[in-house]
Amino acid sequence: MTETTGARSSGELARPLAPSEGVTARSAELAHTREGLRKLLEPARRDGASVGFVPTMGALHEGHASLMRVARDKVSGPVVASIFVNPLQFGAGEDLDRYPRTLEADLEICEREGVDVVFAPSVDEVYPGGLPQVTVAPGELGDVLEGKTRPGHFGGVLTVVAKLFGLVGPDVAVFGEKDYQQLALISRMSSDLCLGVDVVGAPTQREADGLALSSRNRYLSPEQREEATTLSRALYAAQREAASGVDAALQAAHAELRRAKTVELDYLVVTDPALAVLPADPEPGTEARILIAARLGTTRLIDNMSLTIGASR
Ligand code: PAF
């Protein structure tokens, strides 16, 4: 992590990072303030280079690293990653306070992945004067699935992403398919509000046993971690049975879920790829999405996969 004049003059932190073994680290810059960010992005704006953006809440893992690589491939100029635990998207009783904050380790991942600028603002920097009066309303899609269990969540996500888009001014922003509904809503926001950001989805990264990578996996006890594979096993089972139709796919998934002792299902649904209701009798070959949310103790996990209904994969 190198320090620039701009960064130094705006109170940015500089810290040298050791390259990870076998990986050539590139220099990255860290900004904690809007002004620091603006200065760091000035050269790219002057040169007309395209900017890639990966918004995160930190606690970075290989899933985030893959988003950074996708962003890098898509732009001619800098890749920016933001690290900000956004209070606006957490409901009462959710894990805002215990959400992992691991800035040092996160910076190493950003450095390793060749991120050029890391923006890690404080809450006051993002929400000066308190929470905003004007926010982004997600519409109907914000009230179902995750939105039903987490009222207000997507309004908080869209509001902070819109603000971050405003601050970073990216050409391309990359989000994980793991948060499929979030990806769909951010895509809609960018097109509905003409934000001019190309929103790109990147495939979910998984552990060897199928568990989707998530910053929240670290809350799981060893026993819960073992049972957590039930979610992906259920989705894979559905994929295998999708040739026989939606009901068969759902039954196969439920059969996997019944084998788990401590997994408390929140929802398991099949939708069309845009999260709309599937036709009652879909044509063979219809593309669909299966989405699941479940609790293991106090930890809530989500996952999803594509399905092809009525056709062998
Ligand atoms: O997916 C996340 O980490 C967050 O919801 C996001 C998109 C960074 C907004 O805070």
Side-chain angles (χ1 to χ4, degrees):
M1 185 106 343
T2 58
E3 185 178 45
T4 61
T5 310
R8 192 183 293 120
S9 66
S10 56
E12 307 310 309
L13 175 78
R15 49 185 303 288
L17 288 172
S20 309
E21 211 176 321
V23 179
T24 311
R26 294 163 25 131
S27 144
E29 315 273 0
L30 175 64
H32 288 299
T33 63
R34 298 166 180 229
E35 182 54 14
L37 177 69
R38 194 190 60 71
K39 285 184 176 151
L40 289 172
L41 292 176
E42 230 166 34
R45 297 210 200 293
R46 202 181 42 233
D47 299 348
S50 54
V51 175
F53 183 35
V54 180
T56 81
M57 296 206 300
L60 302 183
H61 49 65
E62 179 50 33
H64 299 105
S66 73
L67 307 183
M68 292 166 187
R69 293 194 286 272
V70 171
R72 161 65 52 227
D73 277 355
K74 291 195 175 290
V75 293
S76 61
V79 170
V80 181
S82 63
I83 296 176
F84 178 64
V85 182
N86 172 36
L88 206 57
Q89 69 188 73
F90 288 79
E94 290 191 351
D95 56 345
L96 173 62
D97 291 336
R98 71 169 178 142
Y99 199 85
R101 285 149 172 98
T102 57
L103 185 61
E104 288 299 303
D106 293 348
L107 293 174
E108 282 187 32
I109 291 177
C110 291
E111 186 94 355
R112 192 189 70 203
E113 295 304 332
V115 166
D116 300 281
V117 174
V118 179
F119 180 46
S122 65
V123 172
D124 283 349
E125 190 66 25
V126 176
Y127 298 116
L131 297 180
Q133 181 181 314
V134 176
T135 56
V136 181
E140 281 175 14
L141 185 52
D143 294 333
V144 296
L145 303 171
E146 286 306 285
K148 197 166 174 191
T149 311
R150 307 184 67 190
H153 170 68
F154 286 119
V157 170
L158 295 185
T159 299
V160 80
V161 170
K163 281 176 77 91
L164 292 168
F165 281 3
L167 292 169
V168 174
D171 296 276
V172 175
V174 187
F175 297 84
E177 284 183 351
K178 213 271 279 154
D179 295 302
Y180 195 79
Q181 191 176 4
Q182 167 175 286
L183 169 63
L185 278 162
I186 293 170
S187 242
R188 279 302 293 265
M189 174 176 75
S190 188
S191 63
D192 287 358
L193 301 185
C194 307
L195 300 183
V197 180
D198 181 11
V199 175
V200 172
T204 302
Q205 302 295 307
R206 298 182 181 281
E207 301 280 7
D209 62 7
L211 178 67
L213 297 192
S214 163
S215 304
R216 291 188 165 98
N217 290 350
R218 65 188 77 192
Y219 299 152
L220 300 169
S221 69
E223 297 73 32
Q224 289 170 337
R225 168 65 187 81
E226 239 173 72
E227 285 246 301
T229 58
T230 307
L231 277 74
S232 56
R233 279 193 282 109
L235 300 185
Y236 283 124
Q239 272 191 337
R240 286 193 297 273
E241 286 305 317
S244 309
V246 174
D247 288 347
L250 284 169
Q251 273 172 30
H254 279 293
E256 281 297 331
L257 287 162
R258 276 195 296 275
R259 291 159 56 153
K261 290 187 214 77
T262 57
V263 175
E264 213 181 300
L265 183 64
D266 184 349
Y267 60 77
L268 175 71
V269 292
V270 177
T271 68
D272 87 350
L275 295 175
V277 177
L278 266 184
D281 200 3
E283 296 276 305
T286 298
E287 289 303 318
R289 204 84 195 172
I290 183 162
L291 301 102
I292 189 169
R295 269 177 213 286
L296 286 102
T298 56
T299 305
R300 190 162 176 285
L301 298 180
I302 58 174
D303 199 354
N304 67 87
M305 287 185 195
S306 63
L307 292 183
T308 309
I309 306 297
S312 44
R313 291 180 75 86

